[in-house]
């Protein structure tokens, strides 16, 4: 993954150091205080038995993107997921996914973030999943 301008090294490291995230091809495309945005091209091996994007793939994308958003407000240390809840809102039939996460509350020991996952087909985006998670500050 190429080095992005104005993205702190600790956030880039969240993506570059995670082998599974790299294997999925999740790309960090945007970042700022309290938010993070990623994309991913859906590969055939990411589909489940009905041809839809596997929920585990979407959950990983949302979890990791929320972690990037949380890291953006973590002034000392790093973050690790404590728990998350994800709602799958509709079938994921597309070939390209975009995720945007934002921090809802940043505490000194725990951070709460949410992520929205969109399937992108042509120029149309459709919300397919919503995640809320709590992260501990390490």
């Amino acid at each position: 993954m190429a080095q992005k301008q104005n993205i702190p090294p600790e956030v880039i490291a969240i993506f570059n150091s995670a082998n599974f995230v790299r294997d999925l091809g999740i790309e960090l495309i945007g970042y700022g205080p309290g938010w993070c945005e990623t994309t991913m091209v859906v590969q055939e091996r990411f589909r489940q038995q009905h041809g839809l994007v596997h929920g585990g793939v979407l959950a990983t994308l949302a979890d990791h993107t929320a972690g990037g958003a949380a890291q953006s407000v973590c002034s000392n240390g790093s973050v690790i997921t404590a728990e998350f809840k994800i709602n799958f809102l509709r079938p994921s039939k597309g070939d390209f996914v975009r995720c945007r996460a934002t921090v809802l509350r940043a505490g000194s020991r725990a951070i709460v973030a949410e992520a929205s996952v969109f399937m992108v087909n042509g120029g149309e985006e459709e919300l397919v999943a919503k995640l809320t998670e709590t992260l501990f500050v390490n």
Side-chain angles (χ1 to χ4, degrees):
M1 183 179 307
Q3 193 90 335
K4 306 280 184 182
Q5 290 185 350
N6 301 321
I7 299 177
E10 58 271 13
V11 175
I12 292 170
I14 287 174
F15 289 85
N16 290 346
S17 301
N19 294 328
F20 185 52
V21 170
R22 279 197 329 268
D23 287 348
L24 291 174
I26 296 172
E27 182 179 352
L28 175 62
I29 62 165
Y31 168 88
W35 67 273
C36 184
E37 191 166 350
T38 59
T39 60
M40 183 186 72
V41 175
V42 176
Q43 299 175 38
E44 193 57 35
R45 63 190 176 108
F46 299 164
R47 297 186 189 281
Q48 43 85 298
Q49 68 276 14
H50 302 293
L52 306 173
V53 181
H54 195 283
V57 171
L58 297 177
T60 299
L61 173 70
D63 171 41
H64 221 71
T65 306
Q71 188 65 56
S72 78
V73 297
C74 183
S75 56
N76 65 10
S78 60
V79 297
I80 189 160
T81 302
E83 60 85 27
F84 70 74
K85 178 189 185 306
I86 189 164
N87 290 97
F88 299 105
L89 305 172
R90 57 186 46 88
S92 307
K93 299 178 183 175
D95 295 322
F96 187 77
V97 186
R98 182 179 70 81
C99 183
R100 179 158 176 113
T102 56
V103 171
L104 300 176
R105 174 141 184 358
S108 60
R109 295 183 188 192
I111 298 169
V112 178
E114 69 177 2
S116 299
V117 180
F118 301 89
M119 290 303 305
V120 182
N121 294 306
E124 300 290 315
E125 287 191 352
E126 185 174 46
L127 181 66
V128 296
K130 189 78 166 179
L131 170 138
T132 304
E133 96 176 5
T134 303
L135 303 102
F136 289 142
V137 177
N138 258 344

